[in-house]
Amino acid sequence: MTKDGMVNAAIAAIVSGDVDTAAQVAKDAIAEGVSPGEIMNDGFIAGITEVGELFESGELFLPELMLSAQAMDAATRVCNEALGGVSGEAKSRIVVGTVQGDVHDIGKAIVIAYLKAHGNEVYDLGRDVPIETFISRAEETGAQVIGMSALLTTTMEEQKKLIKTLQERGLRDKYKVVVGGAPATQRWADQIGADAYAEDANDGVKKIDALLS
Ligand code: B1M
């Protein structure tokens, strides 16, 4: 199959919520020499973006959205595994989670895979993570960076609250705080006093490298 064919198959597998095909397309594309980042961005992320639009316009409903999310999860696992990690001393220690009230974790998983592949030690705090957990895990692990993902306009407020809590406890200067997720923007990051906003996984790696250099 051509690269375009594989990209289209990836989009179709996500839109139709076909878990097995999504994983197989990811494996085939990587075996054919397409990079995991490329098939993820051009294929699977394009597919889940289309699903989001169909959901928003009422052409697709929650059960289908959940199947698409499962297909996305299967494809993400294959691509993330192929990205691998870097051995040797870690560049930095980072804790990353999806904020409380929010269960969207596909984007977070991709960001974590990219950060690991670029030689960072990453602690995945999971999803629906309370502020206290972000802070206690950052303290325990000696992290330099706290990364927060939020996909809902309601839950992005948690990003603001965490920064405020760090300030109140005299811990703000100890950590670089990076925010991301579909509703986040550079403007939002500036408004809440985050150190960086990352648009996608690649941008996250670059921004964190820049913050720590
Ligand atoms: Co929901 N959902 N969802 N959903 N969902 C959205 C976000 C929505 C925009 C869909 C829509 O209406 N168009 C909408 C939010 C509207 C809003 O807030 N304005 C929405 C809604 C409403 C809901 C529910 C409330 C639906 C309901 O129950 N009625 C519910 C909420 C549950 C909750 O969290 N409490 C819900 C549930 C779900 C599922 C469980 C079915 C599933 C999530 C499964 C999972 O994650 N395990 C799901 C999905 C899949 C989506 C969409 C379709 C896709 C999200 C996704 O995975 N995108 C989404 C529509 C959309 O975003 N277009 C939608 C792909 C992913 C690679 O992108 O996560 O943006 P993203 O991550 C990117 C960047 O943002 C960035 O890098 C990533 C990689 O490039 N990034 C970071 C992300 N985090 C970062 C952190 C960083 C740096 C970069 O540093 C720390």
Side-chain angles (χ1 to χ4, degrees):
M1 208 190 284
T2 62
K3 190 181 143 201
D4 282 352
M6 286 187 268
V7 165
N8 288 333
I11 295 173
I14 299 301
V15 174
S16 62
D18 187 336
V19 177
D20 294 340
T21 304
Q24 196 55 51
V25 171
K27 285 179 195 157
D28 291 347
I30 292 163
E32 290 292 323
V34 182
S35 77
E38 225 172 343
I39 192 69
M40 180 49 69
N41 287 320
D42 299 349
F44 298 115
I45 293 183
I48 197 79
T49 304
E50 192 176 324
V51 167
E53 284 160 10
L54 292 169
F55 179 67
E56 204 162 1
S57 63
E59 288 168 75
L60 185 146
F61 300 97
L62 196 56
E64 293 143 314
L65 176 63
M66 290 177 83
L67 278 179
S68 293
Q70 283 164 24
M72 187 70 191
D73 185 46
T76 306
R77 278 171 202 270
V78 175
C79 292
N80 287 355
E81 212 165 287
L83 275 169
V86 173
S87 54
E89 203 176 324
K91 276 198 295 195
S92 65
R93 271 192 296 277
I94 307 169
V95 292
V96 182
T98 301
V99 298
Q100 190 161 31
D102 201 324
V103 302
H104 296 88
D105 62 359
I106 295 167
K108 170 184 70 66
I110 297 171
V111 171
I112 289 176
Y114 269 63
L115 287 169
K116 283 185 177 168
H118 285 82
N120 298 288
E121 191 175 325
V122 187
Y123 296 86
D124 183 356
L125 308 186
R127 56 190 187 175
D128 192 16
V129 181
I131 287 169
E132 284 309 326
T133 306
F134 275 103
I135 297 176
S136 62
R137 290 295 286 143
E139 291 284 283
E140 281 160 26
T141 58
Q144 294 109 311
V145 182
I146 298 178
M148 286 179 282
S149 183
L151 264 285
L152 299 170
T153 42
T154 46
T155 58
M156 65 195 289
E157 278 296 313
E158 291 289 304
Q159 297 178 331
K160 183 178 174 181
K161 283 189 203 157
L162 184 133
I163 292 173
K164 197 162 173 272
T165 307
L166 288 176
Q167 281 161 351
E168 285 164 2
R169 296 189 189 171
L171 292 170
R172 180 64 188 92
D173 293 340
K174 198 169 168 185
Y175 300 105
K176 300 293 182 195
V177 179
V178 181
V179 295
T185 56
Q186 183 61 54
R187 195 166 168 214
W188 169 248
D190 293 341
Q191 195 184 319
I192 65 174
D195 295 291
Y197 156 68
E199 188 180 0
D200 56 29
N202 214 15
D203 194 31
V205 169
K206 282 194 211 148
K207 295 272 170 70
I208 289 174
D209 276 355
L211 283 173
L212 298 178
S213 66

